[in-house]
Amino acid sequence: MTCKGCHSDKQRMFNGEIAIHFRGLEGLDTPIVWVFPKLAVCLDCGFTEFTVPERELQVLQRGSPVKGAVVLVEKVDPATGEVRRKSPLPGMN
């Protein structure tokens, strides 16, 4: 398999742990989505590919938790920046 970035054949597979955050201030009140994919990393240019599992992809599409997906929900007071709740949702992991 060759790299889509530089066409090198020096790719290696790694295990990954990635937290995906929604952008902007409104992202502070949306779930943080964790994925644990296999990563295909080009050892020449660093280009990396992975696939988001279906349940976590549904969270990204909806912007809200889905049963069985690994998410963390933080409610942030926009006035103070204080986190009001920081824990995985029950039954969502």
Side-chain angles (χ1 to χ4, degrees):
M1 185 172 188
T2 61
C3 174
K4 290 180 183 175
C6 72
H7 307 290
S8 167
D9 61 354
K10 291 184 181 178
Q11 287 190 315
R12 188 166 167 199
M13 297 301 292
F14 295 91
N15 293 326
E17 178 179 326
I18 299 169
I20 302 173
H21 302 259
F22 286 85
R23 295 178 63 173
L25 291 176
E26 62 277 358
L28 295 175
D29 286 330
T30 57
I32 296 171
V33 182
W34 275 287
V35 294
F36 303 91
K38 301 288 183 205
L39 305 172
V41 178
C42 176
L43 300 178
D44 282 334
C45 74
F47 181 84
T48 302
E49 290 185 272
F50 68 94
T51 301
V52 175
E54 185 177 335
R55 285 183 296 202
E56 286 74 16
L57 184 58
Q58 289 177 7
V59 176
L60 296 175
Q61 292 167 339
R62 297 178 186 185
S64 61
V66 172
K67 185 174 182 173
V70 180
V71 300
L72 175 73
V73 176
E74 295 182 335
K75 295 292 183 183
V76 178
D77 183 331
T80 65
E82 181 179 311
V83 175
R84 290 181 262 168
R85 176 177 65 179
K86 185 177 180 181
S87 63
L89 291 176
M92 290 292 144
N93 299 0

